[in-house]
Amino acid sequence: MNYQSALAPRRPFAAVPAFDLVRDAITAATLLLGLSLPWTFEQTRGSMRIEILLATVAALAALALPYAVRAGFGGYRLAENERWARLGGAFLLVAVGLVYLVIDIIPGGEMGIGIGLGLSLAGAFLLAMPTAAANWRFTLLAVGLVVAAFAIITPIVAITDNYFTGWDVAKIAIAAVAALVFLWFTLWRFDAGDIASGVLLVGVGAVVALGGVLVGGHELAPWLESVEGWWLGLVLWPVLAAAAAPRVFAQVGTDPQPMLWINAAARGMALVAGLGAVITLLALIDEIANSGEHAWLRMVMGLAIGGAGFIGWQTLEQKPTEGRMLVYIATGATTLLGLVLMILRGGISGQVDSIEFLAVGLPTVVFLLLLVPRSVKTLYPVSVTISEVTTGEPIPRVEVAATTQQPVDPKAKPVITAAPTEQVAPVPDAVPSEAPTQEAEPVAEEGAEKLADDGSVKAKGAREWTVEQASNPKTPLADLAKIAAEAPHLRSQVAANPSTYSALLDWLGALGDPDVDTALRSRE
């Protein structure tokens, strides 16, 4: 934070970036919520243990330090110690949390791990976020190894404990496999360079944190896990999300491509399908062993959730733009089914399982990934005339029959609309009112266009497109449309590009170009 730009006292929020304010507000809320939720099997809340209370107060004090200095409490030299104060407050709370984790591993300890511990540790990592960005990769891997180790230890402990039946061990093994699959789908792939998996990791952590706040502190069925019988690792997922947040935020800002969000959404629906399978298997075991409640209801719901998740996953993998409406239906169906399952089980027994809550929240994350990011809107239907393609200038709306429109960029400078008789260029998800039977003869506008060597019309200042741009799957869809219109010699590369959308492929196929037709056949 820049303290020199806010020398006036009693201005605690002066010159503080909005991102820092939001981050610190979330950190404070997470620490306070962790203090009020169960940490152990005895439903001991953090505020009931002196060591947890003191560590949380120290973390909150470290968080408030720079704002207190800005408000006039203390000298500005004290502000120079903000980094060490944040690290000290975070370290103290993490140390207390690790003690509780170790006690759960010790035979006879059986304290368990509650959602309060997960939220408090997440708050500690958020507190330390601005101080050690270079080392966050190793921090994230360390937290992931802890979750993986607990998942592996749990079935081993269950096998050696005479208290558990064979069916109990089977359920614990399924939970352990689910934890490892979740880690592979998110953390390990993110560490290998897949930014979309990192986005999904943060999304899962946010859903678990929200569920912990809403239903995780229930007196009849709190969210508790332990190596002494049941360990999925979900209560520690907010910690993973907080540890991954610095790298995710840094890398997302450098990759605005819409496929980043599409890929994250596809992985999210794959996890939803996996959650449906886990719910079904656990319910099936309960039905066979006659040891669980509402087994048939959970099996039916689990199958439905898994099926909807699988459909959404495959649709995003194969038709990310054309099939988005089907994905919206799939996310809505899984959310509704999960809500029905939670309401029925929670209303009868008071039990809301963390896996079932995740089956509700994760589809909502997928829906937001497909709806909120601005770059994803480039995949929406759009209508552009040949003047916009050849000159690169945005134009006002033009009503074209049977063609959907995309809102014009409000920052763009409008130009005169082209005559309605001009050729309509192929653009993302556009449906031309009339399929061309032959390549239209472009008409040069006075002072704006010139004739290229190959006979095509080329705008003044038009870009010199390259083979790499025409064949690169990461080239924006709007640029692919411009390449097809401005560079006829590159149309075969555009036709072979795996990212080229169906409307542009149809337009290219109607031109009768042998090279283009060969490229189109190679896609099959």
PDB file of all heavy atoms in Angstrom, residues 418-450:
ATOM      1  N   ALA A 418     -23.149   0.596 -43.499  1.00  0.00           N
ATOM      2  CA  ALA A 418     -23.043   0.182 -44.896  1.00  0.00           C
ATOM      3  C   ALA A 418     -24.414  -0.049 -45.492  1.00  0.00           C
ATOM      4  O   ALA A 418     -25.388  -0.282 -44.793  1.00  0.00           O
ATOM      5  CB  ALA A 418     -22.220  -1.102 -44.990  1.00  0.00           C
ATOM      6  N   ALA A 419     -24.488   0.036 -46.804  1.00  0.00           N
ATOM      7  CA  ALA A 419     -25.757  -0.187 -47.487  1.00  0.00           C
ATOM      8  C   ALA A 419     -26.246  -1.595 -47.236  1.00  0.00           C
ATOM      9  O   ALA A 419     -25.456  -2.534 -47.164  1.00  0.00           O
ATOM     10  CB  ALA A 419     -25.568   0.031 -48.988  1.00  0.00           C
ATOM     11  N   PRO A 420     -27.573  -1.793 -47.082  1.00  0.00           N
ATOM     12  CA  PRO A 420     -28.094  -3.111 -46.756  1.00  0.00           C
ATOM     13  C   PRO A 420     -27.892  -4.144 -47.846  1.00  0.00           C
ATOM     14  O   PRO A 420     -28.109  -5.309 -47.622  1.00  0.00           O
ATOM     15  CB  PRO A 420     -29.589  -2.836 -46.517  1.00  0.00           C
ATOM     16  CG  PRO A 420     -29.870  -1.524 -47.186  1.00  0.00           C
ATOM     17  CD  PRO A 420     -28.603  -0.752 -47.147  1.00  0.00           C
ATOM     18  N   THR A 421     -27.434  -3.718 -49.023  1.00  0.00           N
ATOM     19  CA  THR A 421     -27.241  -4.686 -50.098  1.00  0.00           C
ATOM     20  C   THR A 421     -25.868  -5.318 -50.050  1.00  0.00           C
ATOM     21  O   THR A 421     -25.575  -6.206 -50.831  1.00  0.00           O
ATOM     22  CB  THR A 421     -27.411  -3.996 -51.457  1.00  0.00           C
ATOM     23  OG1 THR A 421     -26.477  -2.909 -51.548  1.00  0.00           O
ATOM     24  CG2 THR A 421     -28.828  -3.449 -51.610  1.00  0.00           C
ATOM     25  N   GLU A 422     -25.006  -4.865 -49.133  1.00  0.00           N
ATOM     26  CA  GLU A 422     -23.648  -5.408 -49.081  1.00  0.00           C
ATOM     27  C   GLU A 422     -23.664  -6.823 -48.522  1.00  0.00           C
ATOM     28  O   GLU A 422     -24.576  -7.240 -47.815  1.00  0.00           O
ATOM     29  CB  GLU A 422     -22.751  -4.525 -48.213  1.00  0.00           C
ATOM     30  CG  GLU A 422     -22.470  -3.157 -48.855  1.00  0.00           C
ATOM     31  CD  GLU A 422     -21.544  -2.352 -47.987  1.00  0.00           C
ATOM     32  OE1 GLU A 422     -20.436  -2.845 -47.749  1.00  0.00           O
ATOM     33  OE2 GLU A 422     -21.926  -1.270 -47.554  1.00  0.00           O
ATOM     34  N   GLN A 423     -22.591  -7.542 -48.789  1.00  0.00           N
ATOM     35  CA  GLN A 423     -22.455  -8.910 -48.325  1.00  0.00           C
ATOM     36  C   GLN A 423     -22.346  -8.947 -46.802  1.00  0.00           C
ATOM     37  O   GLN A 423     -21.671  -8.141 -46.202  1.00  0.00           O
ATOM     38  CB  GLN A 423     -21.200  -9.527 -48.943  1.00  0.00           C
ATOM     39  CG  GLN A 423     -20.940 -10.957 -48.480  1.00  0.00           C
ATOM     40  CD  GLN A 423     -19.631 -11.448 -49.006  1.00  0.00           C
ATOM     41  OE1 GLN A 423     -18.955 -10.750 -49.721  1.00  0.00           O
ATOM     42  NE2 GLN A 423     -19.283 -12.668 -48.659  1.00  0.00           N
ATOM     43  N   VAL A 424     -22.992  -9.897 -46.172  1.00  0.00           N
ATOM     44  CA  VAL A 424     -22.893 -10.082 -44.719  1.00  0.00           C
ATOM     45  C   VAL A 424     -21.764 -11.052 -44.443  1.00  0.00           C
ATOM     46  O   VAL A 424     -21.752 -12.168 -44.959  1.00  0.00           O
ATOM     47  CB  VAL A 424     -24.214 -10.626 -44.138  1.00  0.00           C
ATOM     48  CG1 VAL A 424     -24.067 -10.890 -42.659  1.00  0.00           C
ATOM     49  CG2 VAL A 424     -25.334  -9.611 -44.390  1.00  0.00           C
ATOM     50  N   ALA A 425     -20.809 -10.606 -43.629  1.00  0.00           N
ATOM     51  CA  ALA A 425     -19.635 -11.433 -43.362  1.00  0.00           C
ATOM     52  C   ALA A 425     -19.963 -12.512 -42.342  1.00  0.00           C
ATOM     53  O   ALA A 425     -20.801 -12.324 -41.484  1.00  0.00           O
ATOM     54  CB  ALA A 425     -18.505 -10.565 -42.826  1.00  0.00           C
ATOM     55  N   PRO A 426     -19.309 -13.643 -42.411  1.00  0.00           N
ATOM     56  CA  PRO A 426     -19.542 -14.704 -41.427  1.00  0.00           C
ATOM     57  C   PRO A 426     -18.897 -14.321 -40.104  1.00  0.00           C
ATOM     58  O   PRO A 426     -17.729 -13.977 -40.060  1.00  0.00           O
ATOM     59  CB  PRO A 426     -18.828 -15.911 -42.046  1.00  0.00           C
ATOM     60  CG  PRO A 426     -17.744 -15.297 -42.877  1.00  0.00           C
ATOM     61  CD  PRO A 426     -18.291 -13.986 -43.396  1.00  0.00           C
ATOM     62  N   VAL A 427     -19.633 -14.381 -39.028  1.00  0.00           N
ATOM     63  CA  VAL A 427     -19.139 -14.007 -37.711  1.00  0.00           C
ATOM     64  C   VAL A 427     -19.629 -15.005 -36.695  1.00  0.00           C
ATOM     65  O   VAL A 427     -20.487 -15.826 -36.994  1.00  0.00           O
ATOM     66  CB  VAL A 427     -19.606 -12.586 -37.332  1.00  0.00           C
ATOM     67  CG1 VAL A 427     -18.910 -11.548 -38.177  1.00  0.00           C
ATOM     68  CG2 VAL A 427     -21.101 -12.468 -37.508  1.00  0.00           C
ATOM     69  N   PRO A 428     -19.134 -14.976 -35.452  1.00  0.00           N
ATOM     70  CA  PRO A 428     -19.470 -16.033 -34.490  1.00  0.00           C
ATOM     71  C   PRO A 428     -20.957 -16.241 -34.339  1.00  0.00           C
ATOM     72  O   PRO A 428     -21.698 -15.330 -33.997  1.00  0.00           O
ATOM     73  CB  PRO A 428     -18.838 -15.523 -33.195  1.00  0.00           C
ATOM     74  CG  PRO A 428     -17.727 -14.643 -33.638  1.00  0.00           C
ATOM     75  CD  PRO A 428     -18.195 -14.024 -34.906  1.00  0.00           C
ATOM     76  N   ASP A 429     -21.395 -17.492 -34.524  1.00  0.00           N
ATOM     77  CA  ASP A 429     -22.775 -17.934 -34.312  1.00  0.00           C
ATOM     78  C   ASP A 429     -23.783 -17.201 -35.174  1.00  0.00           C
ATOM     79  O   ASP A 429     -24.979 -17.239 -34.904  1.00  0.00           O
ATOM     80  CB  ASP A 429     -23.182 -17.769 -32.852  1.00  0.00           C
ATOM     81  CG  ASP A 429     -22.567 -18.843 -31.989  1.00  0.00           C
ATOM     82  OD1 ASP A 429     -21.790 -19.636 -32.550  1.00  0.00           O
ATOM     83  OD2 ASP A 429     -22.860 -18.885 -30.798  1.00  0.00           O
ATOM     84  N   ALA A 430     -23.359 -16.452 -36.200  1.00  0.00           N
ATOM     85  CA  ALA A 430     -24.329 -15.761 -37.039  1.00  0.00           C
ATOM     86  C   ALA A 430     -24.988 -16.748 -37.977  1.00  0.00           C
ATOM     87  O   ALA A 430     -24.382 -17.706 -38.430  1.00  0.00           O
ATOM     88  CB  ALA A 430     -23.654 -14.649 -37.829  1.00  0.00           C
ATOM     89  N   VAL A 431     -26.248 -16.515 -38.314  1.00  0.00           N
ATOM     90  CA  VAL A 431     -26.958 -17.344 -39.279  1.00  0.00           C
ATOM     91  C   VAL A 431     -27.288 -16.475 -40.463  1.00  0.00           C
ATOM     92  O   VAL A 431     -28.193 -15.635 -40.385  1.00  0.00           O
ATOM     93  CB  VAL A 431     -28.246 -17.931 -38.672  1.00  0.00           C
ATOM     94  CG1 VAL A 431     -28.941 -18.818 -39.684  1.00  0.00           C
ATOM     95  CG2 VAL A 431     -27.922 -18.685 -37.413  1.00  0.00           C
ATOM     96  N   PRO A 432     -26.569 -16.541 -41.569  1.00  0.00           N
ATOM     97  CA  PRO A 432     -26.833 -15.668 -42.695  1.00  0.00           C
ATOM     98  C   PRO A 432     -28.257 -15.852 -43.201  1.00  0.00           C
ATOM     99  O   PRO A 432     -28.802 -16.951 -43.195  1.00  0.00           O
ATOM    100  CB  PRO A 432     -25.811 -16.112 -43.750  1.00  0.00           C
ATOM    101  CG  PRO A 432     -24.773 -16.853 -42.976  1.00  0.00           C
ATOM    102  CD  PRO A 432     -25.472 -17.458 -41.823  1.00  0.00           C
ATOM    103  N   SER A 433     -28.860 -14.725 -43.598  1.00  0.00           N
ATOM    104  CA  SER A 433     -30.226 -14.809 -44.082  1.00  0.00           C
ATOM    105  C   SER A 433     -30.298 -15.587 -45.394  1.00  0.00           C
ATOM    106  O   SER A 433     -31.318 -16.132 -45.755  1.00  0.00           O
ATOM    107  CB  SER A 433     -30.792 -13.395 -44.276  1.00  0.00           C
ATOM    108  OG  SER A 433     -29.959 -12.651 -45.146  1.00  0.00           O
ATOM    109  N   GLU A 434     -29.192 -15.629 -46.102  1.00  0.00           N
ATOM    110  CA  GLU A 434     -29.188 -16.341 -47.372  1.00  0.00           C
ATOM    111  C   GLU A 434     -27.806 -16.911 -47.603  1.00  0.00           C
ATOM    112  O   GLU A 434     -26.822 -16.190 -47.542  1.00  0.00           O
ATOM    113  CB  GLU A 434     -29.533 -15.359 -48.495  1.00  0.00           C
ATOM    114  CG  GLU A 434     -30.323 -16.022 -49.629  1.00  0.00           C
ATOM    115  CD  GLU A 434     -30.741 -14.997 -50.641  1.00  0.00           C
ATOM    116  OE1 GLU A 434     -31.687 -14.264 -50.371  1.00  0.00           O
ATOM    117  OE2 GLU A 434     -30.073 -14.914 -51.667  1.00  0.00           O
ATOM    118  N   ALA A 435     -27.647 -18.199 -47.774  1.00  0.00           N
ATOM    119  CA  ALA A 435     -26.346 -18.804 -47.981  1.00  0.00           C
ATOM    120  C   ALA A 435     -25.805 -18.415 -49.340  1.00  0.00           C
ATOM    121  O   ALA A 435     -26.494 -18.551 -50.362  1.00  0.00           O
ATOM    122  CB  ALA A 435     -26.443 -20.323 -47.889  1.00  0.00           C
ATOM    123  N   PRO A 436     -24.576 -17.911 -49.411  1.00  0.00           N
ATOM    124  CA  PRO A 436     -24.041 -17.496 -50.705  1.00  0.00           C
ATOM    125  C   PRO A 436     -23.740 -18.692 -51.589  1.00  0.00           C
ATOM    126  O   PRO A 436     -23.252 -19.704 -51.122  1.00  0.00           O
ATOM    127  CB  PRO A 436     -22.754 -16.760 -50.313  1.00  0.00           C
ATOM    128  CG  PRO A 436     -22.386 -17.305 -48.992  1.00  0.00           C
ATOM    129  CD  PRO A 436     -23.675 -17.673 -48.319  1.00  0.00           C
ATOM    130  N   THR A 437     -24.018 -18.591 -52.834  1.00  0.00           N
ATOM    131  CA  THR A 437     -23.741 -19.676 -53.778  1.00  0.00           C
ATOM    132  C   THR A 437     -22.424 -19.472 -54.489  1.00  0.00           C
ATOM    133  O   THR A 437     -21.868 -20.381 -55.051  1.00  0.00           O
ATOM    134  CB  THR A 437     -24.866 -19.783 -54.824  1.00  0.00           C
ATOM    135  OG1 THR A 437     -24.994 -18.526 -55.489  1.00  0.00           O
ATOM    136  CG2 THR A 437     -26.194 -20.114 -54.132  1.00  0.00           C
ATOM    137  N   GLN A 438     -21.911 -18.252 -54.495  1.00  0.00           N
ATOM    138  CA  GLN A 438     -20.615 -17.977 -55.072  1.00  0.00           C
ATOM    139  C   GLN A 438     -20.018 -16.774 -54.361  1.00  0.00           C
ATOM    140  O   GLN A 438     -20.712 -16.033 -53.693  1.00  0.00           O
ATOM    141  CB  GLN A 438     -20.720 -17.716 -56.575  1.00  0.00           C
ATOM    142  CG  GLN A 438     -21.605 -16.487 -56.914  1.00  0.00           C
ATOM    143  CD  GLN A 438     -21.703 -16.299 -58.400  1.00  0.00           C
ATOM    144  OE1 GLN A 438     -21.183 -17.091 -59.154  1.00  0.00           O
ATOM    145  NE2 GLN A 438     -22.356 -15.237 -58.819  1.00  0.00           N
ATOM    146  N   GLU A 439     -18.739 -16.612 -54.464  1.00  0.00           N
ATOM    147  CA  GLU A 439     -18.076 -15.517 -53.778  1.00  0.00           C
ATOM    148  C   GLU A 439     -18.550 -14.186 -54.347  1.00  0.00           C
ATOM    149  O   GLU A 439     -18.483 -13.941 -55.539  1.00  0.00           O
ATOM    150  CB  GLU A 439     -16.565 -15.651 -53.925  1.00  0.00           C
ATOM    151  CG  GLU A 439     -15.817 -14.587 -53.138  1.00  0.00           C
ATOM    152  CD  GLU A 439     -14.333 -14.830 -53.174  1.00  0.00           C
ATOM    153  OE1 GLU A 439     -13.924 -15.869 -53.673  1.00  0.00           O
ATOM    154  OE2 GLU A 439     -13.588 -13.958 -52.695  1.00  0.00           O
ATOM    155  N   ALA A 440     -19.062 -13.331 -53.470  1.00  0.00           N
ATOM    156  CA  ALA A 440     -19.582 -12.042 -53.910  1.00  0.00           C
ATOM    157  C   ALA A 440     -18.450 -11.142 -54.349  1.00  0.00           C
ATOM    158  O   ALA A 440     -17.352 -11.187 -53.814  1.00  0.00           O
ATOM    159  CB  ALA A 440     -20.361 -11.374 -52.790  1.00  0.00           C
ATOM    160  N   GLU A 441     -18.728 -10.317 -55.330  1.00  0.00           N
ATOM    161  CA  GLU A 441     -17.720  -9.390 -55.838  1.00  0.00           C
ATOM    162  C   GLU A 441     -17.728  -8.154 -54.952  1.00  0.00           C
ATOM    163  O   GLU A 441     -18.709  -7.408 -54.922  1.00  0.00           O
ATOM    164  CB  GLU A 441     -18.066  -8.992 -57.280  1.00  0.00           C
ATOM    165  CG  GLU A 441     -16.898  -8.345 -58.006  1.00  0.00           C
ATOM    166  CD  GLU A 441     -15.805  -9.337 -58.302  1.00  0.00           C
ATOM    167  OE1 GLU A 441     -16.095 -10.530 -58.403  1.00  0.00           O
ATOM    168  OE2 GLU A 441     -14.647  -8.926 -58.403  1.00  0.00           O
ATOM    169  N   PRO A 442     -16.729  -7.930 -54.120  1.00  0.00           N
ATOM    170  CA  PRO A 442     -16.741  -6.784 -53.238  1.00  0.00           C
ATOM    171  C   PRO A 442     -16.734  -5.473 -54.027  1.00  0.00           C
ATOM    172  O   PRO A 442     -16.129  -5.378 -55.089  1.00  0.00           O
ATOM    173  CB  PRO A 442     -15.478  -6.921 -52.421  1.00  0.00           C
ATOM    174  CG  PRO A 442     -14.822  -8.187 -52.856  1.00  0.00           C
ATOM    175  CD  PRO A 442     -15.514  -8.684 -54.072  1.00  0.00           C
ATOM    176  N   VAL A 443     -17.375  -4.480 -53.449  1.00  0.00           N
ATOM    177  CA  VAL A 443     -17.428  -3.154 -54.070  1.00  0.00           C
ATOM    178  C   VAL A 443     -16.545  -2.213 -53.278  1.00  0.00           C
ATOM    179  O   VAL A 443     -16.721  -2.057 -52.084  1.00  0.00           O
ATOM    180  CB  VAL A 443     -18.877  -2.619 -54.094  1.00  0.00           C
ATOM    181  CG1 VAL A 443     -18.920  -1.240 -54.730  1.00  0.00           C
ATOM    182  CG2 VAL A 443     -19.769  -3.592 -54.849  1.00  0.00           C
ATOM    183  N   ALA A 444     -15.585  -1.598 -53.910  1.00  0.00           N
ATOM    184  CA  ALA A 444     -14.668  -0.711 -53.213  1.00  0.00           C
ATOM    185  C   ALA A 444     -15.359   0.595 -52.899  1.00  0.00           C
ATOM    186  O   ALA A 444     -16.066   1.151 -53.730  1.00  0.00           O
ATOM    187  CB  ALA A 444     -13.423  -0.454 -54.072  1.00  0.00           C
ATOM    188  N   GLU A 445     -15.165   1.090 -51.674  1.00  0.00           N
ATOM    189  CA  GLU A 445     -15.684   2.381 -51.275  1.00  0.00           C
ATOM    190  C   GLU A 445     -14.650   3.446 -51.603  1.00  0.00           C
ATOM    191  O   GLU A 445     -13.454   3.258 -51.390  1.00  0.00           O
ATOM    192  CB  GLU A 445     -15.979   2.383 -49.773  1.00  0.00           C
ATOM    193  CG  GLU A 445     -17.072   1.409 -49.401  1.00  0.00           C
ATOM    194  CD  GLU A 445     -17.317   1.432 -47.906  1.00  0.00           C
ATOM    195  OE1 GLU A 445     -16.687   2.288 -47.244  1.00  0.00           O
ATOM    196  OE2 GLU A 445     -18.111   0.629 -47.424  1.00  0.00           O
ATOM    197  N   GLU A 446     -15.087   4.554 -52.078  1.00  0.00           N
ATOM    198  CA  GLU A 446     -14.190   5.610 -52.534  1.00  0.00           C
ATOM    199  C   GLU A 446     -13.314   6.092 -51.386  1.00  0.00           C
ATOM    200  O   GLU A 446     -13.817   6.451 -50.316  1.00  0.00           O
ATOM    201  CB  GLU A 446     -14.994   6.781 -53.088  1.00  0.00           C
ATOM    202  CG  GLU A 446     -14.105   7.874 -53.670  1.00  0.00           C
ATOM    203  CD  GLU A 446     -14.920   8.990 -54.277  1.00  0.00           C
ATOM    204  OE1 GLU A 446     -16.160   8.860 -54.317  1.00  0.00           O
ATOM    205  OE2 GLU A 446     -14.332   9.980 -54.711  1.00  0.00           O
ATOM    206  N   GLY A 447     -12.038   6.100 -51.579  1.00  0.00           N
ATOM    207  CA  GLY A 447     -11.118   6.606 -50.578  1.00  0.00           C
ATOM    208  C   GLY A 447     -10.901   5.677 -49.416  1.00  0.00           C
ATOM    209  O   GLY A 447     -10.168   6.001 -48.513  1.00  0.00           O
ATOM    210  N   ALA A 448     -11.563   4.502 -49.417  1.00  0.00           N
ATOM    211  CA  ALA A 448     -11.443   3.632 -48.257  1.00  0.00           C
ATOM    212  C   ALA A 448     -10.795   2.312 -48.599  1.00  0.00           C
ATOM    213  O   ALA A 448     -10.190   1.682 -47.755  1.00  0.00           O
ATOM    214  CB  ALA A 448     -12.813   3.375 -47.645  1.00  0.00           C
ATOM    215  N   GLU A 449     -10.909   1.825 -49.851  1.00  0.00           N
ATOM    216  CA  GLU A 449     -10.434   0.502 -50.182  1.00  0.00           C
ATOM    217  C   GLU A 449      -9.585   0.556 -51.459  1.00  0.00           C
ATOM    218  O   GLU A 449      -9.685   1.486 -52.246  1.00  0.00           O
ATOM    219  CB  GLU A 449     -11.613  -0.447 -50.382  1.00  0.00           C
ATOM    220  CG  GLU A 449     -12.457  -0.609 -49.120  1.00  0.00           C
ATOM    221  CD  GLU A 449     -13.726  -1.399 -49.395  1.00  0.00           C
ATOM    222  OE1 GLU A 449     -14.087  -1.494 -50.585  1.00  0.00           O
ATOM    223  OE2 GLU A 449     -14.329  -1.896 -48.445  1.00  0.00           O
ATOM    224  N   LYS A 450      -8.803  -0.483 -51.648  1.00  0.00           N
ATOM    225  CA  LYS A 450      -8.022  -0.602 -52.867  1.00  0.00           C
ATOM    226  C   LYS A 450      -8.009  -2.060 -53.290  1.00  0.00           C
ATOM    227  O   LYS A 450      -8.285  -2.957 -52.494  1.00  0.00           O
ATOM    228  CB  LYS A 450      -6.596  -0.093 -52.649  1.00  0.00           C
ATOM    229  CG  LYS A 450      -5.816  -0.889 -51.597  1.00  0.00           C
ATOM    230  CD  LYS A 450      -4.427  -0.308 -51.420  1.00  0.00           C
ATOM    231  CE  LYS A 450      -3.642  -1.099 -50.383  1.00  0.00           C
ATOM    232  NZ  LYS A 450      -2.295  -0.573 -50.190  1.00  0.00           N
TER     233      LYS A 450
END
